[in-house]
Amino acid sequence: MVRVRDILAWLDGFAPFRYAASWDQGGLQVGDPDAPVTRLLVALDPSSATIEEARTLACQCLVSHHPLLFQPLKTVRTDHFPGNLVITALVGGIHLIAAHTNLDAARDGTNTVLSEKLSLTQLEPLERDPAREGEERYGGMGRVGLLPRAMTLAELAAKTQDALGAVAVRAVGDETRRVVRVALCSGSGGSLLEQAFKAGADVFVTGDIKYHDAQRAVEAGLALIDVGHFASEQLIVRPLAAFLQRQAALHRK
């Protein structure tokens, strides 16, 4: 029988929770570690919609990338977010697990999946924690790598749009400029702008770029492709679900 604690252990083997940022909240956020699980749902967000989907599909566990809880709750009420979702999950017998920045920093996590979508080679971390060097599952935050061939910024923007499922992207810079060295960060990567400069990237692919950060990047000669937060991270849902499915199959043997 699979229990919630087994799912936590599988996730920790894939993307160790110790890789999470100090400000992050991950792991089991709502529920009982000893509760049995026969079905689970993997989603990007723990929302009213995904909790309801889990209930409809008779899933006892919802594994999401984004946490529901970041700050300590002062109240847990049915008419206030996020307490309302905590209550809904508890009443519905749905245990909520989050794998957030630990999944971003994992070797096979969100940033690697995004790199593969863009066919990048010779990958390196955009930012690394020296204390994690040599750890098999560690991949660092963000990635920097090379395209198979040089292409214009406009061509890369179109390639990125297609790779992410025809989502709208915003390109900042000279669209005729040829680029080959790409830095990227899934989610909101504005905090890694300096690392993209230092890595000698021609272009930085990420989400949620602020106006003044975009201006600064262009002045420094770094082109940008803003793909939005959702599009760059929803790519991990299927690979993570497949991994958990394989672990469950091994557990049954």
Side-chain angles (χ1 to χ4, degrees):
M1 176 184 294
V2 173
R3 298 187 182 276
V4 172
R5 66 172 64 256
D6 295 316
I7 298 168
L8 286 166
W10 299 340
L11 288 169
D12 194 53
F14 183 77
F17 288 105
R18 65 181 180 275
Y19 295 168
S22 59
W23 50 264
D24 197 12
Q25 300 295 329
L28 179 61
Q29 293 212 306
V30 177
D32 177 2
D34 289 318
V37 176
T38 58
R39 302 191 76 187
L40 69 82
L41 180 70
V42 179
L44 186 65
D45 297 297
S47 63
S48 56
T50 55
I51 292 174
E52 175 59 22
E53 183 179 2
R55 188 195 65 78
T56 300
L57 296 174
C59 298
Q60 299 83 29
C61 185
L62 172 61
V63 175
S64 64
H65 180 45
H66 294 135
L68 174 63
L69 307 175
F70 274 110
Q71 302 296 331
L73 294 179
K74 295 182 178 180
T75 61
V76 181
R77 294 172 43 161
T78 58
D79 59 340
H80 285 180
F81 175 88
N84 60 330
L85 297 189
V86 172
I87 293 171
T88 300
L90 287 171
V91 171
I94 299 167
H95 311 272
L96 304 183
I97 296 174
H100 192 210
T101 51
N102 58 306
L103 192 56
D104 294 330
R107 186 188 69 191
D108 300 317
T110 54
N111 286 292
T112 295
V113 174
L114 180 57
S115 299
E116 291 171 348
K117 284 289 183 180
L118 298 182
S119 306
L120 299 186
T121 61
Q122 300 183 40
L123 292 177
E124 299 175 3
L126 193 55
E127 180 180 68
R128 65 181 81 219
D129 180 350
R132 303 297 181 199
E133 290 296 334
E135 294 192 23
E136 181 184 1
R137 302 306 308 170
Y138 184 68
M141 294 299 288
R143 298 288 186 274
V144 59
L146 302 179
L147 291 166
R149 63 173 180 85
M151 59 182 67
T152 66
L153 178 61
E155 288 174 326
L156 179 58
K159 173 183 173 68
T160 303
Q161 183 169 313
D162 290 343
L164 299 184
V167 300
V169 304
R170 297 185 300 167
V172 182
D174 179 358
E175 65 179 14
T176 66
R177 176 187 175 183
R178 298 187 71 76
V179 297
V180 68
R181 187 166 174 80
V182 179
L184 61 79
C185 180
S186 62
S188 300
S191 63
L192 295 182
L193 201 57
E194 285 292 338
Q195 285 79 354
F197 293 149
K198 293 176 182 177
D202 301 316
V203 58
F204 186 28
V205 179
T206 188
D208 299 343
I209 290 291
K210 296 180 179 179
Y211 177 83
H212 292 292
D213 286 339
Q215 291 294 102
R216 179 165 170 255
V218 170
E219 289 296 325
L222 177 67
L224 299 172
I225 297 178
D226 188 331
V227 301
H229 198 114
F230 174 84
S232 66
E233 293 189 326
Q234 57 88 23
L235 301 171
I236 195 62
V237 171
R238 287 187 182 277
L240 185 58
F243 167 77
L244 292 172
Q245 191 172 40
R246 291 193 299 271
Q247 293 301 116
L250 292 171
H251 187 87
R252 288 193 294 267
K253 289 183 179 180

